Amino acid sequence: MSNNYQPFSGRVAIITGGSRGIGRAIAELFASRGADLVIADYQFDLAKKTASEISEKSGQKVIDVEVDVSNFEMAQEMAKNVIDEFGKIDILVNNAGITRDDLLMRMKESDWDDVININLKGAWNCSKAVLRPMMKKRYGRIVNISSVSGQAGQAGQTNYSASKAGLIGLTKAMAREVASRGIAVNAVAPGFIPTALTNNLPNELKDYILGATPMGRMGTPEEIAFAVAFLASDEASYITGQVLGVDGGMVMM
């Protein structure tokens, strides 16, 4: 695709968890396509470094905001800071997420709470924070990063699977609420993507996942980013409440 392809020119996008992995790949692609960015992350030093590198490479305005998405007040403050800096919010990508894997019988209550609070409540917090300015403009794109684990479930991931399944429900309900205001809400459900979240998976589980993937390979963060960019673009203006699986065929529903 031409380097002159700039579908996000003049748009402002917030990427939560945008400092590394899938989030960084999304941020880099959006910036290369003309978006000004907010890298929102609890790892402030890494967010600052990422924002600087992406801005230098793309020439776009990229700022960093320290935020714990599970904290309602911090999400509200994040949105206020973005409005103060850019005057608007066009796109939100709810990418921030963690894993705390274990079998249910061994899982600690805190591991359940942490995953639900960041992965699911965090997306609710950030969406609530940006909806008012989006509704005022009668334009917005929200893309939630779910997972095949939220579609089919995964042993040892009751917390993660529940949070990602919840994101699908959140996506569909929110899409119904705000569609009349020109806001589209969709989800992307990645399959097995090598990132910091998957590095610690046992080799036997990785082999099982690859064996269950018809394409027989892992995906890449960039492949997820392309799907997110499509759903966040005006090219997808008549798509809302949908879940796009980018999983090599692992989950066919």
Side-chain angles (χ1 to χ4, degrees):
M1 186 170 289
S2 170
N3 290 333
N4 295 322
Y5 180 61
Q6 299 278 292
F8 297 133
S9 179
R11 300 292 189 201
V12 176
I14 300 172
I15 316 294
T16 70
S19 294
R20 59 181 181 168
I22 290 173
R24 175 160 183 155
I26 294 168
E28 289 177 342
L29 181 62
F30 275 41
S32 75
R33 294 184 175 182
D36 291 326
L37 293 181
V38 179
I39 306 296
D41 207 301
Y42 76 99
Q43 294 180 305
F44 187 58
D45 289 342
L46 184 57
K48 183 178 290 291
K49 180 175 182 288
T50 299
S52 175
E53 290 172 352
I54 293 177
S55 179
E56 183 177 354
K57 182 178 180 180
S58 67
Q60 297 299 129
K61 184 174 182 178
V62 185
I63 68 170
D64 49 276
V65 175
E66 183 176 15
V67 61
D68 173 358
V69 297
S70 68
N71 184 296
F72 180 84
E73 287 75 20
M74 289 187 76
Q76 292 286 320
E77 185 67 20
M78 172 192 72
K80 180 181 182 299
N81 289 340
V82 176
I83 292 294
D84 289 345
E85 185 73 28
F86 293 100
K88 63 175 183 172
I89 300 169
D90 297 302
I91 300 165
L92 168 66
V93 180
N94 283 311
N95 169 73
I98 63 169
T99 56
R100 296 286 187 271
D101 294 352
D102 208 343
L103 295 175
L104 187 148
M105 292 299 293
R106 294 202 299 254
M107 186 176 290
K108 296 182 292 186
E109 181 183 11
S110 60
D111 290 339
W112 169 272
D113 290 343
D114 289 347
V115 170
I116 295 297
N117 284 337
I118 292 174
N119 296 8
L120 182 54
K121 185 188 176 188
W124 185 88
N125 285 342
C126 294
S127 298
K128 185 172 177 66
V130 306
L131 272 179
R132 192 175 298 278
M134 284 184 175
M135 292 174 77
K136 187 175 181 180
K137 287 178 68 262
R138 302 188 71 85
Y139 180 90
R141 299 285 184 268
I142 297 176
V143 183
N144 297 318
I145 305 301
S146 182
S147 169
V148 293
S149 294
Q151 295 175 299
Q154 180 63 51
Q157 290 192 320
T158 52
N159 50 5
Y160 186 76
S161 295
S163 72
K164 294 301 188 177
L167 269 179
I168 292 173
L170 174 66
T171 297
K172 292 178 178 292
M174 186 166 34
R176 289 186 182 276
E177 290 188 11
V178 300
S180 65
R181 300 299 185 96
I183 302 168
V185 186
N186 292 287
V188 170
F192 188 29
I193 312 297
T195 67
L197 284 184
T198 60
N199 284 343
N200 294 326
L201 291 177
N203 288 332
E204 56 268 26
L205 179 56
K206 293 180 183 180
D207 291 341
Y208 167 78
I209 292 171
L210 288 176
T213 303
M215 285 190 171
R217 67 170 177 87
M218 303 178 192
T220 68
E222 290 73 23
E223 286 172 319
I224 306 305
F226 286 129
V228 174
F230 168 65
L231 290 174
S233 73
D234 289 343
E235 294 165 342
S237 58
Y238 200 54
I239 300 174
T240 196
Q242 302 303 307
V243 181
L244 176 57
V246 187
D247 60 11
M250 187 177 182
V251 177
M252 298 189 187
M253 304 177 69

